[in-house]
């Protein structure tokens, strides 16, 4: 029934694709499928892909900062052969591999990603790592709120630099007698695979991981403020852990229809709503013309925060580079440089990259640099403080 339905879809929509494998007993062991909208989503937003199993949805985040589907698969086993088959099909039907893939800590997955997605950076989901912490603590530490708070502040700090993180982590391990804990030692040794630690330096802020279709829904706290959890809750509304394969696919298609409807609604709002500007700043006005409605609200809040909390410290020129030093609300200095020869910007805090707003932030920064050499009024000074 499943394969017949997919065959009919491909007849009606040539861009719909699917592939499958059966074992020697003619039992379905692997299945991958994606529709035209999923392919379009991947071409628009597919730099970063989040993946999970045994129900294997490929998921990303769209220009409205919401989860979006790139396709899905079903696997009978979590082994290297299954992962290789699935990733090969994904790349084959999408036409290219993502720049970044986020998975759990499965070592077999790590080997396959390196083998199949050769040019894709692979990272582990930080939420999934932290979810395991409670399992690895001693019983007498489970109720230690100070330990949990300090570990959380260390791991989830957005602006912490690698050296600072190493120092903070070691202090926590030393203070609470965890330096000899095998799990904490091994996870720290593999920290280059953590999403959040390298976030500021390398990659956009991204949606994280949501878990197995049937087995772990009940174990996910529903108040988590992460996209992975919201996506998990979203699919949970349309799925039952004891559904058969046909029922599951019907429920999955219903969930996708709702996701597409929500996206269409947001696209409609983008084209028909005029954003509310909280200031007359030229930067805010310009941002309202180039971001989606959701992206603009986020950008405007960051501009407001910068106006209130960030000040310019120094401006200097070194050859073809203009160097700006700014001080943030934590009294920490950050350096932003502008290369006149390449017309490019780089800032140490990497805030806009983390928020997924980097594509047009250089336009905003260009306006900033021009204000530096001009006579500025009060409104322009507020923009200059950004």
């Amino acid at each position: 029934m499943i394969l017949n339905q997919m065959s009919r879809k491909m007849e009606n929509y040539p861009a719909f694709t699917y592939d499958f494998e059966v074992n020697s007993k003619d039992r379905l062991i692997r299945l991958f499928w994606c529709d035209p909208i999923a392919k379009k989503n991947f071409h628009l937003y597919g730099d970063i892909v989040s993946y999970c199993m045994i129900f294997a949805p490929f998921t990303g985040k769209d220009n409205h900062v919401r989860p979006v589907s790139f396709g899905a698969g079903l696997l009978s086993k979590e082994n290297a052969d299954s992962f290789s088959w699935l990733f090969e099909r994904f790349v084959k039907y999408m036409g290219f591999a993502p720049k970044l893939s986020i998975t759990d800590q499965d070592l077999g997955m790590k080997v396959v990603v390196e083998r199949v997605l050769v040019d894709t950076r692979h990272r582990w989901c930080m939420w999934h790592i932290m979810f395991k912490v409670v399992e690895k603590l001693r019983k007498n530490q489970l109720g230690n709120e100070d330990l949990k708070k300090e570990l959380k502040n260390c791991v989830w700090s957005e602006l912490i630099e690698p050296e600072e993180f190493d120092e903070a982590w070691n202090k926590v391990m030393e203070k609470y007698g965890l330096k000899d804990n095998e799990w904490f030692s091994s996870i720290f040794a593999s920290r280059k695979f953590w999403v959040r630690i390298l976030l500021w330096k390398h990659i956009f802020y991204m949606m994280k991981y949501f878990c197995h279709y049937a087995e772990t829904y009940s174990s996910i706290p529903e108040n988590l403020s992460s996209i992975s959890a919201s996506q998990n809750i979203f699919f949970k509304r349309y799925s039952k852990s004891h559904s058969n394969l046909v029922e599951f696919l019907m429920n999955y298609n219903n969930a996708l229809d709702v996701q597409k409807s929500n996206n269409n609604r947001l696209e409609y709002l983008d084209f028909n709503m005029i954003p509310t500007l909280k200031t007359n700043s030229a930067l805010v006005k310009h941002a309202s013309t180039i971001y989606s409605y959701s992206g603009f609200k986020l950008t405007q809040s960051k501009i407001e925060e910068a106006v209130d909390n960030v000040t310019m410290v120094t401006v200097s020129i070194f050859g073809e580079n203009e160097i700006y030093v700014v001080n943030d609300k934590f009294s920490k200095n950050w350096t932003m440089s502008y290369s006149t020869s390449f017309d490019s910007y780089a800032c140490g805090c990497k805030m806009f990259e983390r928020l997924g707003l980097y594509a047009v932030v250089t336009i905003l920064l260009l306006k900033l640099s021009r204000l530096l050499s001009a006579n500025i009024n009060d409104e322009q000074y507020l923009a200059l403080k950004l």
Side-chain angles (χ1 to χ4, degrees), residues 289-300:
T289 67
I290 54 180
Y291 287 118
S292 68
Y293 185 73
S294 303
F296 170 70
K297 288 197 297 183
L298 181 58
T299 304
Q300 182 168 234

Side-chain angles (χ1 to χ4, degrees), residues 258-277:
V258 172
Q259 186 184 83
K260 293 170 185 175
S261 177
N262 289 337
N263 180 266
N264 290 337
R265 178 178 60 84
L266 292 172
E267 288 294 307
Y268 175 82
L269 292 176
D270 256 4
F271 282 103
N272 293 279
M273 285 191 66
I274 299 175
T276 301
L277 307 185

